[in-house]
Each structure stands twice: as C-alpha cells, then as structure tokens.
Amino acid sequence: MLRGLRVEASLTLEGLAEASGVSVRAIGDLERGRRGAPRPGTAAALAEGLRLSDFGRQGLLAAARAGRNDGYTPVGVQAVPRGMPEFVGRRRELARLVRLAEQMSSGQATDGLGAQPVIAAVSGPPGAGKTTLALHAARRLADHFPDGQVVVDMRGLDTEAPHLGELMIGVLRALRVPDKELLRVGAQGHIELYRQTLAVRRFVLVLDNARDEAQVRPLLPGSGTGIVVITSRRMLTDLEGVHRLPLDGFEPGEATALLSTFLDGERASTTDISELETIARYCGYLPLALRLAGSWLAAHRTWPVQQLAERLAPDDSRLQALDIGDTRVSTAFDLSYRQLTVEAARMFRMLAVPPGPDVSTAGAAQLSGQGLFDTEDTLEELVETGLLGVAGDRYRLHDLLRLYARTRLRAEETAGDIEYARTALREWLLRTTVVAGRCFEPGHGAPSPTASQGHVDLSSAEKGREWLQAEGANWLAAYREAANADDHAVVVEVAESLHWFSDQWIFWGHWPEVFAIAASSAKALGDTVQEATQLNYLAWARLTCEGRHRDSLAHSAQALALAERAGDISQQAWAYVYQAGAYRKIGEYATAADHLSVASHLFASAGDIQGSLTALNGMGQTLSMSGRTEESLRAFRDALAFIEEKGDLLEMNSVEISLAEVYSGMAVAFEKSGERDEAIASLWRAVDLCRNNGNAGLESRHLSDLGTMLLDMGRSSEARKIFASVVSLGSYADPQVVSEAATRLGAIDAVAVEVDNRIADGERFR
C-alpha cells in the first residue's frame, strides 16, 4: 500500500523521506516487507508526507495496525498480510491450489495412511509473481485452514540465510504458541515442538523466496492437515511428493487486465486496448514489469498511454524505462545472476547472441565452446535458477531477460569475443542448413547414419526436416547476416540446398525473401545461370506460397530471359512451367497449355525427368480447369504411367509429391464427370501420400478439398472430422485453409445444434 501511494504521489524514496521525516531505509524496509509494520507515529508521519485525504490516511493507519503483531516475531515471519496488490490472472494455478486445499480439508489427500500435508512448489523467473500468487492463495484458503496463515521470508537470495531455529520460533509464535511453552522445551526441543504443532494445526505456511531444497526441507511438516506453499526461482526438483506450479509470463488478456487496474474510470474508458496490448508485449507479459508499467501510468495520469509505449519501444533502453523509484526489473534479475557459477554466468550472457527466440544444446555449445555434455549441465543450471525456460529440447530466455543478458554481455565480454561467438554460431547454422537441406535433393539424400554435423543428428530426411524447422528463425537470421556481409557464394549455396526442402514447408512465410536474396547474390557474383535459377524459385514462391500470380509472372519472365542468354535449357523450361502455373491461376488456360507444351520439349531435350513429370501434371491440371475433363484424365494417366516407367530415376520425396498432385487433380476431374466415389478415393490417396511425406502444407489443401466434397454430398459428420484434422495440422499447414476449415467446423456444429433443438421442440410438442 505504501509503495502504491508513494508512486501515485510521484515521490521518490528520498522525496517521501524528506516530506515525512522517516528515513529512506525505514521506508524501503517497509515497502519490501523487511519490517512487518510501522509504529503509529511513523505511520502518521508517512500519511502526512504523502498528503493523504482523511479517507486515505485512515486506510494507511488501518493497514499499519493490521500488520502489527502483539508479540515478538523475527523479521521475515508474519501473518499473511491483509493489504495486498489487486490480484489478476493465474486462474489455473490458483484453482489448483484451492482444489488441493479442498481435498485436504475433506480428507481426500490422506491416501489412507494418516493426514499428510500438501506441499506445493511455485517456481519461475524473477518477476513472475510467485509471491503474489502464494500470498493471495493463502488468503483464499483461510476458511479451509483457520488455525493460521503464516508467511516466512526465506531470503534465499541474500548472502546470509536466516537461522533455521529463529524461523521455527517465528512460525510457532505466529501460530500463537505461548512463550512459556517455548521456554519449557528449551532450544533443543524447538524442532520437535515445531513438528508437533504443525501436525495438529490446520494452517497455511508460505515459505517465500527459498534458496534451495536444503533450506526448506527442515521446515516441511511430516504430518498434519496443513498446506505449505514454497516459492523459489529454482525448480527444487529434489523435493519429493511436491505439487509443482511453474510460472512464466501472463497470458496477453491477463496482462492487459492488470494494466487496466492502474487506470481510473474515465481514462480506462477512453484508452484503446491496443495501446495496453503494446505495453504488455514490451513488458514480455512479466507481472513485475507490468506492475511497474502500471505504476508509471498511475503516477502520470495526464499523460497519454501511448507515451509509455513509446518509452518502452527501444530495446536498448527498455529496462531503464521500467525503473520506478528504487524498484527495477534489472535488480530482480541481478539477484539471480550473481548466484550463478562462472560457466553458467557466461552461458547466460552468450544466450543474448542467437538471433532467434530459442536455442538448442548444440547451438549453445557453439556459443560457449563447451562440449555437449558440459553445455547441457550449464543450461540446466540456468533452468534450475529460473533464468532460462525450456520446451522440449529447446531453451529460451524471456524477452526482458534477453535484454538483461545483452547488457551483461556488453559489460563483461570483449567485442572480439562477442564477434567470435556470433561468427561461430552463424557458420555452424549455415553449414548445418546446407547438409540438412540436401537431405531432400535427388542425388544427395541424408548423410551416413553415423555422420554428425556439429552434434546434430541428420541421419535421415525426417531428422533434417526437424532441425530446419526448429532452427528456422536462427538460420534465416544467419542467412541475412551472410547477405549483409556480401558473402554471396554462401548465400547462393544455402538457397540452392533448400530448394527441394521448400516443397516440404510451403507456408513457412519466408521463401520469397530467401530466394530474392539469393537472386541478388547470384547477380553480384555474375552467375547468370544461378540468377535465373533463383528467380525461378522466387517465381514458385510468389505463386505457391503467396498466390501473387502477376508478380510470379514477372520473376519467371526475368528468369527466362537470363536462361536464354546463358543457353541453359533446363531453367528455360522451368520458367515456362512457372509461367504456365500463373496463367492457369488467372484463367488464361490456352496460354498455360502452350507454355507447358514448350516446357515439355525443353525438358525432354535437357533430359530433365522431374521437369517432364511436372509438365505432364501441369497439363492435366490446366485441361481440368478449362473444362476438358476427359483430356485431363488422359493427361493424368499419362503422368502415372510416366512415374511407373521412370520411377527408379526419380527421388522418392519428389515422386510422392508428384503422385499426390496427380491424384488431387484426378479427383477434381472425377467430380466434374459425376464420379464422386472415384474422386473421394483419389483425394484420400493424395492425403495419404502427403502424410507419408510429412508435407503438412499440401495435406491441408487436399484434406480441405475432401471435406468440401463430403459436405456437398451431405456427409456432414465425415466432413466435420476432416475439417478438424485440417485445424489440428497447425502452423505447418496452409493458414488460409486452416482458417476456412475452422469456420466450416463452426457452421457444421451450429447446424447440428439447430437440428437438436428442433427435435427437442418436436418432442415437447408431441
């Protein structure tokens, strides 16, 4: 309450000290909870210094009285405070604690072996709101545990931890154990008295800010009907029988809800929610940062909310912009950082180097120069201390922690060491990208099963796919860095290695950029054939990934002119294929067919089997779309015969994709000719081929066509399953198709509800 009032009055600690006559240290101790409550004269002086209204003065004095304890209690042990910040968010975690409490109070948590206390460990990065959740939960659980709600500040980040015996005495006194009982058992009996007392009391004990397992273990009751909530930046993985509640940032909606509590009624009604969303995003949805941002808003009532967003926008000054008085986000981070080992501190700093949002163990090893196993141990130390998040086999710094790591990097590493680490990571990323991309290219395939590329397993095409997709943000940024450094040969090599893989990850969103950069690098190298090649790839990306048909035509026309100048027949043919695809999309079917005929002759003369198959398939698609159904079916059957004849000369991935396209094209033709069962069977073949190939983008399109066809046939229950499958494919699918499938799912469900209601109405009528 005191901190909120001070910030609202736009007073620093020094300013309030001068206005009230209370020392800076005393005010700071009160705001940080180092002191339980001020004496009446101190509280009155603070109210005077804050220039509170009569109502505000009464509130502050009441909070001071409520916080005072009748007997002596060591600093850091107190009853759960009544006056707490407004609580927002954490519904799931709070509900889980309440559920555990209800099970305990109803006897469901005993397992038939006598009452066992519930132990819950709340862990998370600095500023995640662990203490706020624990204290709010303790207040909510008071009715279930009427014998007392006690909070113990374990001071886990201090140089010297509080004495165990002193904390036990503090808990006993907070639970109203008489001093004469403490004197009776003596110092040697305090541990046993502590255990006996907790075994027969219904209590909530919050062990806040614990250092490690060893510090909290002696304070955990062995029996009883209480609940212990431990908060720690560490995960405390060695504690057994613990219910774990890991915290991270808020959900976006929770974050904006918290910020809105700092706005008065008129300001809240006139503030655009998008402005609060921007501030929340800059705060990384971290509760501490959000509360500081909210305090700034409360202290600057006449300033537009957008002004805070503008202050937070620059990365380099964001942490400083979140400093409010003596409360700083960076201070919370400092406390954890200072406890790290030398190796972990350096790793933390180096994790500011990767351009993407997360990093693998192999990538971290490139940064630190450690071996793989040592790197794993170092990363896990950072995870355990709450400074690093983990999802599967990827490690991620919170956005604000990344900014903090960057400040430590600049302060503690030389420019040369930083550049060396950045270069090592970039070269490793691009080398590995080339090897992984080649897994999909005919004539290359995966390396030998025993091969390892910088601790990365690329022994199969599937392994290559997993690495390329997981590291997409990192290798793309490294690729951009190589282009900016005029490393044109590397740029072209990387793009060329990814050409076949791009068919597997069509809707990633960055292929136009990849191939546009490569075309520019090829031009800088004076390599006309490569420039034509990359422009053809760019034409494909505009056509297939973005649906920008006119732009695709422009790129393929450039590629054709360059290929003709260089005398490269194969690239001329591909330019005609991509032009045909664009013309087909804009409805110029005759022109598309002419271009495909030219492409077929060029592919044949160049001996390009894959190109010849693509031209055959394209002709079938063109004939079908122009209404020449029988001719299109003959063209598709010619393509199937071609695959049967030349299959041994084609790469398996390309065969599966080509077959899927042939069968999807045949399905359209079958439907037009009224052969719906054949159409559905063909689409299922296309779907199965895409699934076998791992091509979620094409699978989503074929599934959508299948669902639409089933819906048109009145088979809505089957169609619903298909559309649900499309939605489940997630980010690797065609985003537009996924959106349309979700809409259709909603429509099908709405119709089903309406039918059920009509049936129910009919039964009531009867």
Side-chain angles (χ1 to χ4, degrees), residues 227-485:
I227 181 168
V228 181
V229 182
I230 309 166
T231 76
S232 177
R233 298 184 181 190
R234 293 182 174 273
M235 296 178 68
L236 306 179
T237 51
D238 285 345
L239 289 182
E240 297 180 356
V242 171
H243 302 273
R244 302 192 180 279
L245 285 82
L247 300 185
D248 203 344
F250 274 162
E251 295 295 325
E254 295 174 333
T256 53
L258 176 57
L259 287 173
S260 66
T261 64
F262 291 87
L263 305 178
D264 57 32
E266 181 180 353
R267 198 177 182 197
S269 64
T270 58
T271 296
D272 190 331
I273 189 66
S274 64
E275 295 176 351
L276 294 180
E277 290 170 348
T278 299
I279 293 171
R281 187 173 69 254
Y282 285 144
C283 290
Y285 306 107
L286 191 70
L288 172 61
L290 290 164
R291 289 193 179 277
L292 290 174
S295 296
W296 189 97
L297 292 171
H300 300 83
R301 296 182 177 182
T302 61
W303 293 18
V305 172
Q306 182 61 31
Q307 189 161 339
L308 176 57
E310 291 169 357
R311 284 169 57 90
L312 295 174
D315 285 352
D316 292 341
S317 60
R318 189 172 305 155
L319 291 178
Q320 289 78 10
L322 285 168
D323 292 349
I324 306 294
D326 68 332
T327 306
R328 298 174 173 86
V329 173
S330 55
T331 301
F333 298 162
D334 278 332
L335 293 170
S336 289
Y337 179 71
R338 288 201 300 266
Q339 291 194 335
L340 297 175
T341 62
V342 172
E343 295 79 11
R346 184 169 189 273
M347 177 68 80
F348 177 76
R349 297 191 295 270
M350 286 299 173
L351 289 176
V353 172
D358 54 23
V359 68
S360 65
T361 304
Q366 301 299 318
L367 286 167
S368 66
Q370 294 179 300
L372 196 64
F373 295 125
D374 288 340
T375 298
E376 286 179 342
D377 291 342
T378 305
L379 291 170
E380 287 303 318
E381 179 182 343
L382 291 173
V383 171
E384 182 65 25
T385 55
L387 289 175
L388 191 63
V390 60
D393 59 354
R394 312 276 312 167
Y395 296 89
R396 180 171 190 157
L397 283 174
H398 182 276
D399 292 347
L400 294 181
L401 278 168
R402 177 182 292 276
L403 295 180
Y404 175 75
R406 192 178 297 167
T407 66
R408 303 317 319 153
L409 181 72
R410 292 169 179 166
E412 300 181 48
E413 299 287 341
T414 67
D417 286 343
I418 296 172
E419 185 55 33
Y420 181 84
R422 181 174 285 113
T423 301
L425 180 65
R426 180 174 68 242
E427 291 179 350
W428 171 76
L429 283 166
L430 296 181
R431 283 197 311 270
T432 311
T433 298
V434 170
V435 176
R438 297 288 188 196
C439 292
F440 297 87
E441 184 172 343
H444 283 268
S448 67
T450 58
S452 175
Q453 175 64 35
H455 305 302
V456 178
D457 180 5
L458 298 176
S459 57
S460 67
E462 186 57 34
K463 297 282 187 184
R465 180 206 312 278
E466 291 172 1
W467 188 90
L468 287 167
Q469 291 177 336
E471 294 284 0
N474 285 322
W475 66 250
L476 177 62
Y479 179 79
R480 290 167 178 157
E481 289 178 11
N484 291 334

Side-chain angles (χ1 to χ4, degrees), residues 87-99 133 136-137 140 245 247 249-251 253-255 257-258:
F87 187 80
V88 175
R90 305 300 188 200
R91 290 191 211 171
R92 289 191 299 272
E93 293 83 3
L94 187 59
R96 187 177 177 198
L97 287 171
V98 171
R99 190 162 56 250
L133 171 65
H136 188 77
R140 281 282 299 272
L245 285 82
L247 300 185
F250 274 162
E251 295 295 325
E254 295 174 333
L258 176 57

Side-chain angles (χ1 to χ4, degrees), residues 694-750:
N695 195 318
L698 292 180
E699 181 186 350
S700 68
R701 287 184 167 181
H702 299 325
L703 277 171
S704 178
D705 291 340
L706 179 58
T708 300
M709 197 175 293
L710 290 168
L711 200 58
D712 290 343
M713 296 169 66
R715 296 159 64 173
S716 57
S717 61
E718 294 174 73
R720 191 193 184 286
K721 292 178 182 177
I722 297 298
F723 291 130
S725 296
V726 174
V727 173
S728 70
L729 290 173
S731 60
Y732 294 152
D734 183 336
Q736 183 176 345
V737 166
V738 171
S739 176
E740 291 171 355
T743 300
R744 290 187 169 186
L745 267 177
I748 292 171
D749 290 342

Side-chain angles (χ1 to χ4, degrees), residues 73-85:
T73 301
V75 171
V77 181
Q78 60 181 336
V80 172
R82 294 177 177 84
M84 293 166 55

